[in-house]
């Protein structure tokens, strides 16, 4: 029996060793599992944190670079630029917050057709606004300092535009007025915009063939820009604005020159759009009656000076532009009219009332209309004018 017990002792020790190792392995496995769970948990938390941070970053990057910064920044987009390169350029110029997010935004919305050119952006612009501008296209020339922009106001003459050119550009007024008399340049413009300029170039006794054709707007001027280029942009703008009205002008049996002539008178005679349209009706009635338009604006243009009141000598001045003496439209426009005045020419009011005269109250601006000269004098008297 003693020998038998001794025989089983090694077997019992072996079992205990195996059991101990099994328990030790299980404990190690539990510890390993705990560590794995901790690692996975930490990774999940890190991923969540990164996800939140990433989401916030994307959301912030989709916002304007600086909502309060409205200063214009010029950006050149070279020909052949990829969306990634455009985004990098915009981030470099501090127009957008992130090139990566902008590129993702463009791809996710399938925006295409970005065009090369010179652009001005503001840090306050949204990505939607920036994309819209890139799709519209930029300038082929540097835009330059917006503080040097040339503003052409409604109702100004070529002579007055010359003064603005001298103030806002490197060109003199004399250079500008010389260009306005350059017939070779006029013919070049006519070939480029025949529908716009044919009637002007066909007109006789015209002081400036581009009088009335330099559209009231703001034009960018940059260093190195030619005077011809600046003028071409003004004429191109006029053509663009009048394009929807060419057929209507024909329907009225007017030339563009005649339409702009009436519009230039209406520009200076009427203040409200309603009065402009009524004054348009008066002018049409006088033309149909073969009466002179008798606008003070025409006399001041003939005199080449502004006056608060005209004398009999003034209204008798010998000039084709004097519409106190001459019937019809005269040689051409007297200033650069606004689109509102062009629309008034094409949509006159109350022609059927037979108005042939009008007078504005100098104090209130109210315009009175008359069908006869006697009635006109009576209304003038009531106003003390």
């Amino acid at each position: 029996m003693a020998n038998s017990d001794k025989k089983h002792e090694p077997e019992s020790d072996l079992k205990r060793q195996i059991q101990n190792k099994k328990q030790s392995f299980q404990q190690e496995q539990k510890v390993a599992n705990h560590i794995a769970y901790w690692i996975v948990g930490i990774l999940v938390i890190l991923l969540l944190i990164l996800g939140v941070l990433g989401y916030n970053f994307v959301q912030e990057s989709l916002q304007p670079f600086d909502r309060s910064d409205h200063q214009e920044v010029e950006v050149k987009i070279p020909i052949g630029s990829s969306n990634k390169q455009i985004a990098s350029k915009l981030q470099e110029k501090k127009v957008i917050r992130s090139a990566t997010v902008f590129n993702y935004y463009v791809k996710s919305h399938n925006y295409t057709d970005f065009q090369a050119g010179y652009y001005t952006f503001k840090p306050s612009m949204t990505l939607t606004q920036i994309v819209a501008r890139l799709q519209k296209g930029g300038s082929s020339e540097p835009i330059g300092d917006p503080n040097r922009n040339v503003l052409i106001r409604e109702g100004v003459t070529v002579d007055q535009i010359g003064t603005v050119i001298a103030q806002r550009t490197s060109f003199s007024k004399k250079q500008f007025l010389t260009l306005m008399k350059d017939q070779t340049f006029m013919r070049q413009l006519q070939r480029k915009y025949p529908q716009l300029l044919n009637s002007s170039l066909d007109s006789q006794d015209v002081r400036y063939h581009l009088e009335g054709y330099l559209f009231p707007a703001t034009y960018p001027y940059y260093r190195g820009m030619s005077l011809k280029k600046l003028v071409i942009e003004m004429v191109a703008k006029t053509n663009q604005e009048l394009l929807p009205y060419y057929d209507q002008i024909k329907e009225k049996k007017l030339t563009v020159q005649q339409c702009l002539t009436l519009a230039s008178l209406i520009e200076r005679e009427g203040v409200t759009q309603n009065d402009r349209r009524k004054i348009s009706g008066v002018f049409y009635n006088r033309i149909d009656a073969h009466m002179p338009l008798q606008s003070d604006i025409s006399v001041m243009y003939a005199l080449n000076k502004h006056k608060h009141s005209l004398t009999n000598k003034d209204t008798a001045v010998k000039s084709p532009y004097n519409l106190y003496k001459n019937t019809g439209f005269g040689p051409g426009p007297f200033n650069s009219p606004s689109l509102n005045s062009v629309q008034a020419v094409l949509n006159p009011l109350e022609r059927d009332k037979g108005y042939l005269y009008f007078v504005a109250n100098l104090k209130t601006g109210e315009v009175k209309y008359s069908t006869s000269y006697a009635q006109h004098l009576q209304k003038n008297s009531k106003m003390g004018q």
Side-chain angles (χ1 to χ4, degrees), residues 2 11 15 69 98 110 113 132 170 230 248 271 299 376-377:
E11 292 180 1
K15 286 181 179 179
D69 189 350
S98 168
N110 294 318
D113 301 328
S170 61
L230 181 58
Q248 201 174 346
V271 176
V299 176
H376 175 64
L377 290 177

Side-chain angles (χ1 to χ4, degrees), residues 66-163:
D66 185 350
R67 292 183 185 277
S68 63
D69 189 350
H70 300 284
Q71 186 172 354
E72 290 189 333
V73 178
E74 184 174 312
V75 180
K76 178 186 178 183
I77 304 299
I79 296 174
S81 296
S82 65
N83 288 351
K84 188 175 181 180
Q85 290 170 324
I86 293 173
S88 178
K89 181 73 71 174
L90 293 174
Q91 181 178 335
E92 178 188 334
K93 292 287 188 177
K94 297 184 178 179
V95 174
I96 61 173
R97 293 173 179 243
S98 168
T100 302
V101 172
F102 181 84
N103 199 36
Y104 168 78
Y105 176 81
V106 168
K107 285 182 179 179
S108 65
H109 288 81
N110 294 318
Y111 288 129
T112 56
D113 301 328
F114 290 170
Q115 300 183 44
Y118 291 88
Y119 294 84
T120 56
F121 298 102
K122 298 176 182 178
S124 59
M125 292 175 68
T126 64
L127 296 191
T128 303
Q129 291 171 325
I130 292 170
V131 165
R133 186 162 293 187
L134 287 169
Q135 289 178 321
K136 186 178 180 181
S139 169
S140 60
E141 302 287 351
I143 297 169
D145 184 356
N147 293 325
R148 297 292 297 278
N149 285 345
V150 177
L151 171 62
I152 306 302
R153 299 186 184 279
E154 293 89 348
V156 297
T157 65
V158 159
D159 188 76
Q160 291 170 321
I161 293 173
T163 301

Side-chain angles (χ1 to χ4, degrees), residues 264-269 294-302 305-306 310 321 324 334-335:
S264 68
L265 294 175
I266 291 168
E267 181 69 36
R268 298 289 298 277
E269 296 280 14
Q294 292 190 328
S295 168
D296 290 357
I297 307 303
S298 70
V299 176
M300 286 187 279
Y301 190 85
K305 64 170 68 173
H306 178 77
L310 299 176
Y321 281 100
Y324 257 81
F334 301 89
N335 56 61

Side-chain angles (χ1 to χ4, degrees), residues 170-376:
S170 61
F171 304 106
S172 67
K173 182 175 181 178
K174 182 178 180 181
Q175 287 175 305
F176 175 73
L177 294 180
T178 298
L179 184 61
M180 293 297 98
K181 291 285 190 180
D182 187 334
Q183 292 304 305
T184 301
F185 180 53
M186 295 301 113
R187 293 298 175 187
Q188 290 172 351
L189 287 172
Q190 182 185 17
R191 286 192 291 272
K192 192 170 185 178
Y193 304 105
Q195 196 170 16
L196 176 69
L197 292 173
N198 278 348
S199 58
S200 175
L201 271 293
D202 289 343
S203 298
Q204 302 296 315
D205 301 320
V206 175
R207 185 181 296 172
Y208 299 113
H209 283 290
L210 292 186
E211 187 75 82
Y213 293 85
L214 306 178
F215 197 83
T218 299
Y219 299 91
Y221 169 74
Y222 54 86
R223 191 181 302 277
M225 184 181 195
S226 70
L227 182 56
K228 285 185 178 180
K229 171 71 174 174
L230 181 58
V231 172
I232 288 171
E233 289 190 3
M234 295 177 185
V235 176
K237 177 68 173 174
T238 304
N239 185 66
Q240 176 189 338
E241 294 293 334
L242 290 186
L243 203 57
Y245 301 98
Y246 284 137
D247 288 342
Q248 201 174 346
I249 290 171
K250 277 186 180 179
E251 290 171 6
K252 285 285 183 183
K253 296 182 180 179
L254 296 172
T255 65
V256 174
Q257 183 83 336
Q258 290 170 334
C259 177
L260 290 180
T261 297
L262 288 183
S264 68
L265 294 175
I266 291 168
E267 181 69 36
R268 298 289 298 277
E269 296 280 14
V271 176
T272 69
Q273 190 63 7
N274 191 62
D275 277 327
R276 285 176 177 177
R277 292 178 65 190
K278 286 184 179 181
I279 291 169
S280 174
V282 172
F283 284 153
Y284 276 118
N285 289 343
R286 292 182 75 91
I287 288 171
D288 287 350
H290 303 289
M291 297 172 64
L293 295 181
Q294 292 190 328
S295 168
D296 290 357
I297 307 303
S298 70
V299 176
M300 286 187 279
Y301 190 85
L303 295 170
N304 202 20
K305 64 170 68 173
H306 178 77
K307 301 186 73 172
H308 290 291
S309 59
L310 299 176
T311 65
N312 289 334
K313 182 180 178 181
D314 292 333
T315 56
V317 64
K318 188 176 181 181
S319 168
Y321 281 100
N322 181 0
L323 300 187
Y324 257 81
K325 290 181 61 178
N326 304 304
T327 57
F329 297 87
F334 301 89
N335 56 61
S336 292
S338 64
L339 196 60
N340 282 338
S341 292
V342 172
Q343 292 168 343
V345 171
L346 300 176
N347 300 281
L349 274 181
E350 301 184 357
R351 284 201 64 187
D352 56 338
K353 292 188 176 181
Y355 293 137
L356 294 172
Y357 301 88
F358 66 90
V359 60
N361 188 314
L362 299 178
K363 294 180 180 178
T364 65
E366 183 185 7
V367 181
K368 297 289 187 178
Y369 302 88
S370 307
T371 57
S372 68
Y373 186 59
Q375 191 182 50
H376 175 64

